[in-house]
Structure formats: C-alpha cells, structure tokens
Amino acid sequence: VMANKPKTYSPAWLFDFDLKSASPSATALRDNVWATYFQNYDFNKPAIEASHPEAQLMVLLLNIYEAVKRDLPLGMPLRPARYPGIDSRYNKQFLTYRRMRGLVEHLEEKNLISRKKGSQMTGYTRITAEPELRRIIDQHDFETDIHGAEVIVLNNKDDESNRYQVEYNDTDDTHAWRKVLNDYNNLLSDTLIDLPSKPDDTIRHHVVDDNGQLKVIEARSIRHTKDRFVKRVFSRGDDTFQNGGRLYGGWWQSIDEERRSFININGEPTVELDFKAIHPHLLYGDQAPNNRDLYEIDCEIEELGLTTKQRERGLPNDRPIRGWIKQLTLNAINASTENKAFGAFRDKQRSGP
C-alpha cells in the first residue's frame, strides 16, 4: 500500500474586513479601476446594502494590493456565513456577501484577477491579481491600516465547530477594556517591533482547527499594522465575558521560541522571561516547594501499567510522564468539567498503531 503523499500548502494574505487607507494614492487606485472597468457594472442592489459599491471595491482592492506587495494570493471569504450583518460591530465598512461576490466576479470577467477554490484554503477562495491589475497597482504606493476595528470580540461555535462572532451589549467593563486596548494599539503603531534577520517582512503563520489539523498557512507581515494590532477575544458566546479574554493579533505571538529571541523593539534587543510551571506556582502561592519541578512526580513509566502500544503513543520526548502531568494539570485548571479535562488530554495524545 502506497503512503499518502503529504499535502503542500502555500501562504496567502487573508482578507481583512477592516482594512482602510486615507492615502490619496489609494483613492486614485480605486478611482482608476472603477472608471476604467466598471462602466457597464450591474448596479442592481442586494436586498440590504449600506455602502456604495465603490466603497466596497476599495476594501477589496486594498486587500489585493497588500497581497500583490508580497507576491501572494489573497484568501477571500466567499461564503455568506463569513459576512457579519451590516449593523454588526464587526463590519464597520458595511461589506455584504452579495456585493463582494459580484465585485470579484466582475474583476474576473475583466481579466484583472483569477480565482481558485481549494481545500487547503478552507472557507476561502484564492484570488490572484493578473498582470494588468498588477501593472495598475505598481503605479501606486501607500500604507493601509485597520485602526478603528472592534477590539473586544465575542466568539462562539456552531454544531460543526465553526467559529463565528457574536453580537453583545456593551458594559462598563467592555468600555474600559476597549479604551485600554485602543491606547495599547496606538502604542504598538508607534513602536517598531522587528526581526532584523527577516528583511522580506513576511512570516508564515500556521492556522489550525480545533482538532489540530492544519487549515492554511497565513502570510503575516512584521511591519503591517494589521499584524501589530491586538484584540481581546472571549469565547463560548458568554456575554458575561467569563470565558477567554486573551489578547490575539500580534505577529510575535505566532512565531517559535527561537525566532522570538531575535525580536528587537525600536532597534533594541529583547529578553523573554520564562516562568517555569507558572500555573501550578500560582495555585500553590507561597506554599510552592522550593527547587522542585512541579510537573515531575516520583514515578517510573513501568509503574503506570501501560502496554507497549500505549507507551509508543506517549509524548515524543525523553520525559513522557512529565509531559502527561503537565497536560493533565493545565487541562484540569482550564476545563469546566472533569470529562472535558480528560477529553482535551486524550485529543492531544499521539495516535497510531
């Protein structure tokens, strides 16, 4: 029996609903494309539309522009479920699925773009600028940003574990969190967080689903505002905001430990402090044993009564018991029930014969 050939994945610039630019050059790009290629455009409005097609074309072109600058395709959502409502806090540029799909189809008819659906871009269509659109884009030079995007995000999952954003009513807490994050993002915007060893600006970010399966390799920019902008993400659709709340968005969160050690801030090298076994130490407080690895227990692997197969499925390191104890401890701390803790632990174990 022949082994399955490994899949190959190519990076992409993922479409951003909040991308904008105040540059006259960006406006000129949009006006050029609109005046030249949209004289016979079908202006039939979707049932609900809150912004003019030209405004929605601007967002599409800005995303294509950023993809072209990096010689990458654009990962474009062309499924209705991926578009928030026009009154959503997550859709401040009032984009609609029907209009955006129509714009994409029109650009394709004019031979300005090509598109391809692929399983490697789950939920996204790959859009590539054709030579004529690249020629037009090359005549323009400007910066884009996403400032003004919603920074307090509430997520939930449907029955198929697809994540979607949930509307909520603001509280004193959400107002306070938003102010802090907006101030922080302004600071990030004025701060050069850089990898001097990465002059081409682009890194690859692996996006995985909840089962740990690779969905897409997203191309992220070290210097673009989009990837130096953080949001606070809450989960489970809980509008009391008791679940989640971590910060996401910074490109430095998606690189490995080795590359993080080379990060510079405003030209100065950085040092990352590693707090060993931080979660159990927080639980112990000042009662934590001194000079002891809290994830180590006095036990030999033979004492666990594992079969040979079970041992082979263990963690791929020289201290499998410590790895298991660490995973179980963290799962127990973060899971809401015992069954969920053990289920999460089992999901992370290696499978195989």
Side-chain angles (χ1 to χ4, degrees):
V1 179
M2 295 182 63
N4 292 330
K5 185 178 180 180
K7 293 182 179 180
T8 58
Y9 296 87
S10 57
W13 173 272
L14 294 191
F15 184 88
D16 195 300
F17 282 76
D18 295 297
L19 205 62
K20 60 175 69 71
S21 178
S23 169
S25 183
T27 303
L29 169 62
R30 189 271 315 276
D31 291 346
N32 184 351
V33 172
W34 184 266
T36 306
Y37 299 98
F38 281 77
Q39 303 95 329
N40 300 319
Y41 179 64
D42 182 4
F43 281 92
N44 290 332
K45 289 188 176 182
I48 299 176
E49 186 168 52
S51 65
H52 193 275
E54 282 186 80
Q56 299 193 53
L57 176 64
M58 176 69 123
V59 182
L60 176 57
L61 287 175
L62 292 180
N63 277 279
I64 295 175
Y65 173 86
E66 290 295 350
V68 167
K69 282 175 61 176
R70 293 163 178 80
D71 197 26
L72 295 168
L74 168 66
M76 179 78 184
L78 286 179
R79 293 181 181 177
R82 290 190 175 270
Y83 284 75
I86 58 172
D87 57 348
S88 170
R89 64 174 66 243
Y90 308 112
N91 189 7
K92 295 185 178 180
Q93 303 205 80
F94 310 112
L95 308 183
T96 64
Y97 161 73
R98 287 184 59 189
R99 178 61 68 197
M100 295 300 287
R101 185 178 186 88
L103 292 171
V104 167
E105 291 173 348
H106 188 80
L107 291 175
E108 186 177 35
E109 289 172 4
K110 297 297 182 179
N111 297 316
L112 294 178
I113 63 169
S114 59
R115 57 179 172 145
K116 178 183 179 182
K117 294 180 180 180
S119 58
Q120 67 170 352
M121 292 287 293
T122 305
Y124 292 89
T125 293
R126 294 168 61 85
I127 291 178
T128 303
E130 292 296 329
E132 175 62 13
L133 183 55
R134 285 178 174 268
R135 182 190 66 78
I136 297 172
I137 286 175
D138 286 343
Q139 299 172 6
H140 299 271
D141 184 28
F142 53 84
E143 298 295 326
T144 63
D145 67 72
I146 61 169
H147 283 286
E150 178 56 70
V151 294
I152 306 299
V153 178
L154 180 61
N155 282 338
N156 205 352
K157 296 178 185 176
D158 60 23
D159 293 339
E160 297 180 352
S161 295
N162 295 311
R163 188 176 288 107
Y164 63 93
Q165 295 170 326
V166 179
E167 301 296 328
Y168 59 86
N169 295 319
D170 275 312
T171 66
D172 290 343
D173 284 337
T174 60
H175 284 304
W177 298 333
R178 188 174 293 111
K179 182 181 185 308
V180 170
L181 276 183
N182 285 335
D183 289 343
Y184 181 49
N185 281 319
N186 288 334
L187 175 63
L188 290 176
S189 179
D190 294 333
T191 304
L192 177 60
I193 305 174
D194 202 11
L195 278 177
S197 61
K198 195 68 176 171
D200 66 352
D201 178 54
T202 303
I203 57 175
R204 294 184 174 193
H205 169 51
H206 294 237
V207 179
V208 298
D209 61 23
D210 293 327
N211 296 318
Q213 301 299 310
L214 182 65
K215 293 176 65 174
V216 61
I217 300 178
E218 176 188 2
R220 304 196 65 182
S221 166
I222 292 176
R223 299 173 186 90
H224 191 273
T225 306
K226 170 185 174 183
D227 294 311
R228 293 188 293 116
F229 187 92
V230 299
K231 302 179 181 182
R232 191 170 184 188
V233 181
F234 294 85
S235 58
R236 301 180 188 172
D238 178 6
D239 60 6
T240 65
F241 300 96
Q242 298 299 308
N243 292 287
R246 290 187 177 184
L247 301 184
Y248 293 93
W251 63 263
W252 49 89
Q253 296 176 290
S254 61
I255 62 176
D256 55 53
E257 181 179 354
E258 181 180 356
R259 283 197 287 182
R260 280 201 306 271
S261 66
F262 294 104
I263 289 177
N264 280 9
I265 298 180
N266 290 333
E268 296 293 330
T270 60
V271 174
E272 182 178 13
L273 300 180
D274 183 14
F275 295 92
K276 195 175 184 67
I278 184 66
H279 286 83
H281 271 100
L282 290 173
L283 292 177
Y284 268 112
D286 58 8
Q287 302 299 313
N290 292 325
N291 303 317
R292 176 187 158 193
D293 185 343
L294 298 183
Y295 291 131
E296 291 279 14
I297 62 173
D298 186 16
C299 174
E300 298 295 331
I301 192 169
E302 288 77 9
E303 298 178 46
L304 299 179
L306 302 178
T307 65
T308 301
K309 282 188 177 181
Q310 287 172 329
R311 293 183 196 177
E312 291 174 352
R313 292 180 183 179
L315 299 175
N317 58 46
D318 59 353
R319 291 190 297 168
I321 296 178
R322 184 188 185 279
W324 290 329
I325 295 299
K326 179 177 180 180
Q327 280 195 0
L328 279 170
T329 301
L330 297 178
N331 292 150
I333 291 172
N334 292 289
S336 58
T337 67
E338 183 177 303
N339 285 340
K340 289 183 178 180
F342 284 121
F345 174 78
R346 285 192 297 269
D347 289 342
K348 293 180 180 179
Q349 302 313 304
R350 296 172 62 190
S351 61

